[in-house]
Amino acid sequence: MTYRTRPDDAHPYLRAASAGVRHHTRALARTTATPPAPVDRVHLDVLHTHLTALHRLLDQLAEATRPPHPAAGRHLTTAHTRLWQATAEIHSAFHLLPSSTAAQGAEASECHPERLPEGPPVLTICQRHLAAGHSIRRKTTPTDLRPRTTACVR
């Protein structure tokens, strides 16, 4: 028995991730009576995870679309580059926020992140970012990575 997916189910995890983002956006909108809490490193790490996953997906879609439809492939490649710029800004913001271990004071001395098999938690965002950066630098030039302002022509 073979299972055949529908075309709109080609990326089921993307649909689940999008639903999660919508849920958190709605939850934030519901708390308008109280000012929202400032973002912390954990939230930026999760957001960076979503952006790098979307970055890989856009890369795959651009590669598959470019041969039969060059113009659409160029637009997807441009989206891929712009998403990388957003991911880089999230990574920079992550490092500007205070770490949670600094806020915990005495508890921080008891923490031994070097004992974790995947390494210290603060470095996982950097490892993910370096891997994504390696792929973007193979396919783009420094000029492409410079921020630009664009205007819609429609």
Side-chain angles (χ1 to χ4, degrees), residues 52-95:
T52 52
L54 186 57
H55 184 261
R56 284 190 305 272
L57 176 62
L58 265 175
D59 185 34
Q60 292 170 356
L61 292 175
E63 289 295 320
T65 304
R66 192 173 301 120
H69 307 286
R74 282 191 301 272
H75 283 286
L76 289 174
T77 300
T78 301
H80 177 254
T81 303
R82 299 299 175 258
L83 184 63
W84 167 252
Q85 292 167 337
T87 304
E89 294 300 326
I90 295 294
H91 180 252
S92 297
F94 176 88
H95 286 294

Side-chain angles (χ1 to χ4, degrees), residues 98-115 121:
S99 68
S100 60
T101 56
Q104 292 173 352
E107 293 177 20
S109 62
E110 298 172 12
C111 181
H112 299 283
E114 68 277 0
R115 295 182 188 164

Side-chain angles (χ1 to χ4, degrees), residues 113-144:
E114 68 277 0
R115 295 182 188 164
L116 295 172
E118 66 271 16
V122 73
L123 295 181
T124 56
I125 189 172
C126 295
Q127 292 166 349
R128 185 182 330 109
H129 194 71
L130 285 172
H134 180 70
S135 75
I136 191 80
R137 285 184 180 88
R138 283 183 305 159
K139 298 179 180 191
T140 58
T141 65
T143 304
D144 293 335

